[in-house]
Amino acid sequence: MKWSELSWLYLLIPGLPWLIWYHFRSLSDFPAWQKRLSLVLRIAVVALLAAALAGPVLMRDTDQQMVIFAIDRSESIDNAARKKADEFIDKAVQSAADRDVELRFLEFAKRPAKLQQSWDDLQKQVDESSEAGSESATEEVEETELKSGSGDSDDPQSNEPDDTQRGTDLDAAVRTAIASMPPSRVRRVVLISDGNATEGEDPIATAADGGVPIWTVPLPSRSEAEVQLTRVEAPTQVRQGQPFYVEVVVSSNRDGEGYIDLYRGDIQIGEDDPKPVEIKKGENRFRFRQTVLGKRQETFAARLRGFEDTLFDNNESSAVVYAEGRPRVLMIDPDVDQTDSLRWALDEQSIDVEVRPPQGVPTDLTEIQGYECVVLSNVPATAMTMRQMDLIRIYVKELGGGLVMLGGDQSFGLGGYYRTQIEEILPVRSNFEKEREKPSLAMMLVIDKSGSMGGQKIELAKDAARGAVELLGPRDAIGVIAFDGSAYTVSELRSTSDKGQIIDSISTIEASGGTNMYPGMVDALDALRGATAKLKHVILMTDGVSSPGDFQGAASEMAANRITLSTVALGQGSSEALLEELAQIGGGRYYFCDSADAVPQVFAKETVEASKSAINELPFMAQTVRPTNVLEGIDLELSPLLLGYVVTRPKPTAEFILASESGDPLLAWWRYGLGMSVAFTSDAKNRWAGEWLSWPDFGPFWAQVIRHAMRKQDNKGVFVEVRREGDQTHISLDSVDDNGAFIENATTELNLIDPRLGRQKLAMRQSAPGRFETTIPTDQRGDYHIDLAQTRTSGKTSRVSRGITIGYSDELRLLPTDTTTLQRIATVSQGQYDPSPESLFEASDQTARQPFPLWPWLLMIALSIFVVDVALRRIELSS
């Protein structure tokens, strides 16, 4: 008994003196012996009640068993193995029917499920869920057929199992089973599994420390036809043009025939008419001779098809190969043909340049990692998604890449870069102070606020409107009209000298109602008709189909009053044809935005273009603001005239190198994170730099600027090894100096970008002379990007980039039953390996201590004595 339970006795102690006092004060004329006996009985009742309240427990030995069946239901267990497990449990349940045994059932895969008390109930739940899944799958197929006209579905996830099955955590299953059993039973765990753990910690150590015998039942490996692409092996690093072999490892549980397709990036390589290959049961290796030319990084992927197979998610794998050679630059330009002069000049300076239109902006880090620098030449922000801009930011900040932006009528502020991730990287700002001689602008924003604009759409539209207000100068004026079924003046046309009040008014817009944009156009026309500004402009945005109205008449009336009209269609079905026609009539521009994310960039671009103040097209000579070694050997005093540039403002910490004769930035750069970004506000084409193209220093100038911006890859004396171990990847870096001596006490850091663009910075520890190591988690499917930076005591820094591609889950690998693990779990826990169902409940020498509560007995005795006492108090007995 605990002390807290014994403390209840003190509540009854004051009652004992009262009983004795009452005995001596009693006026009863019963015999003295009868009164004394009654007193004794009452004291006994009080004592028994006190003891009952204390809750005494009698511990006694018991051999009653509790057995928990931990059943592996992960995806590596096929139907044949599941059937064997169910048959084993059925026999065990029947054997336990005439025994004093409590049974519990725990299914597990990536994590344990809820503990079940009845095998029949569990089976019913499985059957019901299977039927529900079949019905759901049938409905999905029927729905797909109705939509597509066939039974084929291109959705790669339509047949994927629950993610909870994509893993096996033996450790968690053992821990949960042990924790679920009370110590008052003779405990036993029956682990039914193939023994292949893909999650969690060491189940053997858990079994050894658990103090509960674990009987392990091995399940067979897959018997269904299964072929898997185990891995693609390729050297981590090669030289440009150096032949090497890509080795594809294929495993199968039977002989077969099919095709192996090899890809370099997205392009399939090999014969035009491939022939099938034969594979044998077990491991098969196929070698493909390859080279890397003109790229710093290449991904080789292999895919299986045409084999007799059950699981298709494990039929693909890839490897990343890095190639040493000339640095590579990716240039994005809408006019690809006009980049020849710069491309040829850089080629003469031993820099490879790949030119793409804006549609070719990389969409993943693996692609952009193949270049040391990205050049954006007159590319508008509206040509890129928010994700693409974020990838460029990560590439520069986290992976040490270079970014160069060249000027043009679609660049910097004119390109809508205000408040974007790209502007964050650049050393200049896209918002600028308007020059006094530039014309004033009066602008009306006409924004759809109908119910379909709810949620993120209306918030981004309001952000876009606020950004437009911030971009305008104090001599400009702006008004905001919102429309649904009717038009509402959110903010009257007023000077932007009071930006705060205008922005506050914009924040009050809420989405609701229908769509009728004609009243909004008319109100905007009326507001601008009387404005005194030299430039008048309307931006009209909607995401739906408007009620009828004389839209062409309103646009023509605007054009007649020298008011330009630009339109923005947000999403499919938003009257694209009508909006495009209105922009043509109104002398403005038409934009189509797939998503609301692009709306702020469109508004920013339109605002700057409408203000007619972002371009200075007066000829000028480049002026040196700050001398730099980067331009050593370039005589800028002899440079020809440039014919124009985009007006920007330098950021406070940027290095301002060259300026126009008006003092505006021409060339500026700064370090952003691990990388470098450069802004050149004129161009490198015929429009503004036509005379520079024939300048003898044109090639050296751009080569030196781009080499300064590009990622520095100093691999001399640095060797990197990448080794995957389950959900972890071990990375080691060995480094030596020019004399071959090991590098000691160097600060070595690893920057990791995971497939979801999550970022980690890890310090690598020195484990041996010249060797630095660390382990990173790689439990997500996709591409991991690694930047290794080592700073020596001399201050010299070496950088190396690597990539890791994680394919399908280990749960899908074709592995034999891990009998070793199952045997060791049984041995260290004093259980048995591969028992028969009947032997699970055999008597053992083990016993458990079972508590037997005494308070009910004490209470019944007290009640019986109390009845006798009542009789003694009511009935006089003869002496």
Side-chain angles (χ1 to χ4, degrees):
M1 291 184 292
K2 298 180 181 178
W3 173 255
S4 60
E5 295 170 338
L6 289 173
S7 63
W8 281 93
L9 292 170
Y10 292 109
L11 298 178
L12 299 171
I13 290 176
L16 296 179
W18 181 83
L19 289 175
I20 297 172
W21 176 84
Y22 179 76
H23 169 73
F24 287 107
R25 299 287 294 177
S26 174
L27 300 177
S28 173
D29 57 356
F30 288 172
W33 66 270
Q34 186 174 346
K35 289 193 290 183
R36 286 194 294 269
L37 179 59
S38 176
L39 175 62
V40 171
L41 292 178
R42 289 195 175 191
I43 293 175
V45 169
V46 172
L48 289 169
L49 290 175
L53 288 173
V57 174
L58 177 65
M59 300 300 294
R60 61 182 182 181
D61 291 338
T62 180
D63 58 359
Q64 186 176 1
Q65 292 181 322
M66 175 178 279
V67 179
I68 290 185
F69 292 86
I71 313 155
D72 191 344
R73 296 302 195 193
S74 62
E75 197 171 358
S76 63
I77 307 300
D78 65 4
N79 291 330
R82 286 172 178 260
K83 184 177 180 181
K84 178 183 176 180
D86 291 348
E87 289 176 350
F88 181 92
I89 297 173
D90 284 336
K91 292 180 180 178
V93 171
Q94 293 174 9
S95 177
D98 57 350
R99 300 172 184 264
D100 187 16
V101 180
E102 295 182 48
L103 301 182
R104 300 290 185 270
F105 305 92
L106 178 70
E107 293 185 323
F108 71 93
K110 195 171 185 177
R111 58 185 67 91
K114 184 179 179 181
L115 190 69
Q116 302 290 333
Q117 297 188 5
S118 170
W119 175 242
D120 291 337
D121 292 344
L122 181 60
Q123 290 296 88
K124 288 179 182 178
Q125 290 181 11
V126 172
D127 293 341
E128 290 173 0
S129 62
S130 299
E131 291 175 3
S134 300
E135 292 175 1
S136 175
T138 303
E139 291 174 359
E140 288 179 4
V141 170
E142 291 174 351
E143 183 179 351
T144 304
E145 291 175 349
L146 289 173
K147 290 180 179 179
S148 63
S150 69
D152 298 331
S153 174
D154 295 331
D155 185 3
Q157 297 179 348
S158 59
N159 295 321
E160 285 191 2
D162 187 354
D163 182 61
T164 57
Q165 290 184 298
R166 286 278 172 90
T168 304
D169 194 340
L170 295 179
D171 176 69
V174 171
R175 288 180 184 274
T176 303
I178 293 175
S180 301
M181 292 186 287
S184 59
R185 297 290 184 269
V186 177
R187 300 177 293 172
R188 183 171 296 170
V189 175
V190 180
L191 177 63
I192 306 174
S193 173
D194 62 1
N196 292 309
T198 61
E199 308 279 340
E201 300 179 4
D202 184 6
I204 299 174
T206 301
D209 297 337
V212 175
I214 301 175
W215 295 34
T216 56
V217 179
L219 295 179
S221 58
R222 285 192 170 274
S223 59
E224 301 167 340
E226 182 57 33
V227 179
Q228 73 168 22
L229 205 158
T230 306
R231 59 187 175 277
V232 174
E233 296 179 349
T236 304
Q237 188 166 322
V238 298
R239 292 188 178 89
Q240 291 278 346
Q242 171 191 346
F244 62 92
Y245 284 98
V246 175
E247 193 164 40
V248 178
V249 182
V250 180
S251 298
S252 176
N253 60 2
R254 63 192 64 197
D255 297 347
E257 186 177 83
Y259 296 88
I260 300 175
D261 297 329
L262 188 66
Y263 293 82
R264 180 192 286 118
D266 295 328
I267 301 173
Q268 185 174 353
I269 55 180
E271 302 175 2
D272 294 334
D273 185 19
K275 297 179 180 179
V277 298
E278 293 184 355
I279 59 173
K280 302 294 183 182
K281 181 179 180 179
E283 187 175 274
N284 303 263
R285 290 178 174 266
F286 302 90
R287 302 181 77 192
F288 301 87
R289 182 180 170 131
Q290 295 296 313
T291 58
V292 176
L293 289 171
K295 287 196 173 183
R296 292 300 300 268
Q297 174 182 305
E298 193 66 88
T299 300
F300 291 91
R303 297 168 188 165
L304 304 180
R305 62 182 174 90
F307 292 94
E308 184 182 2
D309 201 3
T310 302
L311 301 174
F312 297 99
D313 284 353
N314 58 3
N315 290 352
E316 181 178 351
S317 187
S318 60
V320 180
V321 177
Y322 286 80
E324 297 178 348
R326 299 197 338 172
R328 285 181 54 78
V329 172
L330 175 62
M331 180 180 294
I332 308 295
D333 194 306
D335 302 313
V336 174
D337 295 338
Q338 294 190 28
T339 63
D340 290 344
S341 296
L342 180 57
R343 180 167 56 85
W344 293 336
L346 293 176
D347 184 68
E348 290 179 356
Q349 300 293 322
S350 299
I351 298 175
D352 291 335
V353 180
E354 180 180 342
V355 181
R356 299 182 185 179
Q359 295 82 357
V361 175
T363 57
D364 60 70
L365 279 177
T366 301
E367 185 179 7
I368 199 172
Q369 271 282 72
Y371 305 92
E372 274 67 53
C373 185
V374 175
V375 178
L376 298 178
S377 174
N378 203 31
V379 180
T382 51
M384 291 184 281
T385 64
M386 300 296 287
R387 175 178 171 81
Q388 287 173 315
M389 287 192 278
D390 197 41
L391 287 176
I392 294 175
R393 184 181 65 83
I394 294 172
Y395 164 73
V396 176
K397 183 178 181 180
E398 307 291 343
L399 299 175
L403 174 67
V404 177
M405 179 173 282
L406 305 182
D409 60 359
Q410 299 292 310
S411 191
F412 297 103
L414 288 166
Y417 284 100
Y418 178 60
R419 295 201 308 186
T420 64
Q421 297 99 315
I422 297 296
E423 189 193 45
E424 179 185 330
I425 303 171
L426 292 173
V428 296
R429 299 189 187 280
S430 297
N431 60 325
F432 52 89
E433 297 296 335
K434 292 181 58 182
E435 300 176 37
R436 292 182 180 178
E437 63 269 18
K438 294 296 181 182
S440 58
L441 168 68
M443 184 166 68
M444 292 296 296
L445 306 179
V446 183
I447 300 172
D448 186 348
K449 64 172 284 290
S450 61
S452 60
M453 285 288 294
Q456 185 187 30
K457 285 184 180 181
I458 195 66
E459 293 303 321
L460 287 169
K462 291 192 286 187
D463 282 346
R466 286 189 283 261
V469 173
E470 292 173 359
L471 280 169
L472 294 178
R475 297 174 59 244
D476 299 325
I478 191 170
V480 182
I481 294 172
F483 67 88
D484 45 32
S486 303
Y488 307 90
T489 300
V490 177
S491 177
E492 295 181 353
L493 185 66
R494 67 174 70 185
S495 169
T496 52
S497 58
D498 188 12
K499 293 182 179 181
Q501 187 171 353
I502 301 173
I503 290 174
D504 289 342
S505 300
I506 292 171
S507 301
T508 64
I509 300 176
E510 299 291 339
S512 64
T515 303
N516 188 358
M517 64 185 186
Y518 180 70
M521 294 178 66
V522 172
D523 288 354
L525 171 62
D526 293 341
L528 289 175
R529 186 178 279 141
T532 59
K534 294 183 179 180
L535 301 174
K536 303 176 184 181
H537 187 60
V538 175
I539 302 177
L540 169 65
M541 188 209 74
T542 182
D543 76 332
V545 177
S546 173
S547 300
D550 185 14
F551 308 113
Q552 292 83 355
S556 298
E557 188 71 15
M558 289 182 184
N561 285 271
R562 295 185 178 182
I563 300 171
T564 54
L565 169 66
S566 290
T567 58
V568 182
L570 177 54
Q572 297 289 343
S574 50
S575 305
E576 295 99 312
L578 173 61
L579 293 174
E580 187 172 8
E581 180 186 1
L582 295 180
Q584 291 176 350
I585 295 172
R589 291 154 294 276
Y590 163 74
Y591 300 89
F592 174 76
C593 299
D594 282 321
S595 75
D597 291 340
V599 172
Q601 279 65 62
V602 169
F603 273 50
K605 182 177 184 299
E606 270 299 296
T607 303
V608 176
E609 286 207 29
S611 69
K612 305 294 183 184
S613 57
I615 289 182
N616 187 326
E617 292 193 287
L618 298 175
F620 69 95
M621 292 282 294
Q623 307 294 313
T624 301
V625 177
R626 177 177 179 177
T628 174
N629 293 332
V630 176
L631 300 181
E632 186 175 355
I634 308 296
D635 193 349
L636 288 166
E637 294 183 358
L638 299 179
S639 63
L641 290 171
L642 289 167
L643 304 182
Y645 65 93
V646 183
V647 180
T648 60
R649 289 192 297 153
K651 292 180 180 177
T653 57
E655 294 186 60
F656 192 174
I657 307 300
L658 301 178
S660 69
E661 292 176 351
S662 301
D664 295 320
L666 173 63
L667 176 65
W669 58 60
W670 73 348
R671 181 159 294 283
Y672 181 78
L674 299 177
M676 177 75 67
S677 71
V678 176
F680 186 79
T681 57
S682 188
D683 65 11
K685 298 186 291 190
N686 281 321
R687 177 172 179 176
W688 291 338
E691 296 185 27
W692 268 43
L693 300 182
S694 57
W695 178 36
D697 282 339
F698 177 75
F701 172 85
W702 280 113
Q704 290 171 216
V705 169
I706 288 177
R707 286 186 187 277
H708 178 61
M710 68 175 48
R711 177 173 51 202
K712 309 302 186 290
Q713 291 282 359
D714 184 5
N715 298 330
K716 187 177 180 181
V718 177
F719 309 91
V720 178
E721 180 184 357
V722 179
R723 184 177 70 257
R724 187 184 176 200
E725 299 172 350
D727 287 342
Q728 304 286 321
T729 296
H730 184 76
I731 299 174
S732 62
L733 182 147
D734 294 285
S735 55
V736 296
D737 60 20
D738 296 338
N739 299 320
F742 291 120
I743 301 297
E744 301 289 344
N745 302 320
T747 302
T748 308
E749 291 184 333
L750 179 149
N751 280 299
L752 173 68
I753 312 293
D754 66 31
R756 298 177 183 174
L757 302 185
R759 295 177 284 280
Q760 293 186 54
K761 180 176 285 188
L762 304 171
M764 300 183 70
R765 59 181 179 82
Q766 184 170 358
S767 59
R771 166 160 288 201
F772 300 81
E773 298 179 297
T774 192
T775 300
I776 60 175
T778 50
D779 54 353
Q780 301 176 27
R781 186 170 183 172
D783 297 323
Y784 289 80
H785 301 274
I786 299 169
D787 179 81
L788 301 166
Q790 184 175 78
T791 304
R792 306 177 185 179
T793 53
S794 62
K796 181 180 178 181
T797 299
S798 300
R799 307 197 77 88
V800 182
S801 295
R802 287 292 182 267
I804 306 169
T805 300
I806 305 299
Y808 54 84
S809 167
D810 285 345
E811 191 65 29
L812 300 181
R813 295 192 178 277
L814 191 59
L815 300 172
T817 302
D818 191 351
T819 56
T820 302
T821 296
L822 295 175
Q823 287 174 347
R824 291 192 61 192
I825 289 174
T827 301
V828 299
S829 65
Q830 298 182 354
Q832 291 186 21
Y833 171 74
D834 197 13
S836 64
E838 296 77 15
S839 65
L840 294 177
F841 313 108
E842 292 177 351
S844 67
D845 297 335
Q846 286 186 317
T847 59
R849 299 284 288 172
Q850 184 177 26
F852 180 75
L854 297 178
W855 68 266
W857 297 93
L858 296 174
L859 195 59
M860 286 189 292
I861 294 172
L863 181 60
S864 301
I865 295 175
F866 179 71
V867 172
V868 174
D869 177 61
V870 171
L872 286 175
R873 294 287 176 175
R874 296 293 183 268
I875 303 172
E876 181 179 358
L877 301 178
S878 61
S879 57

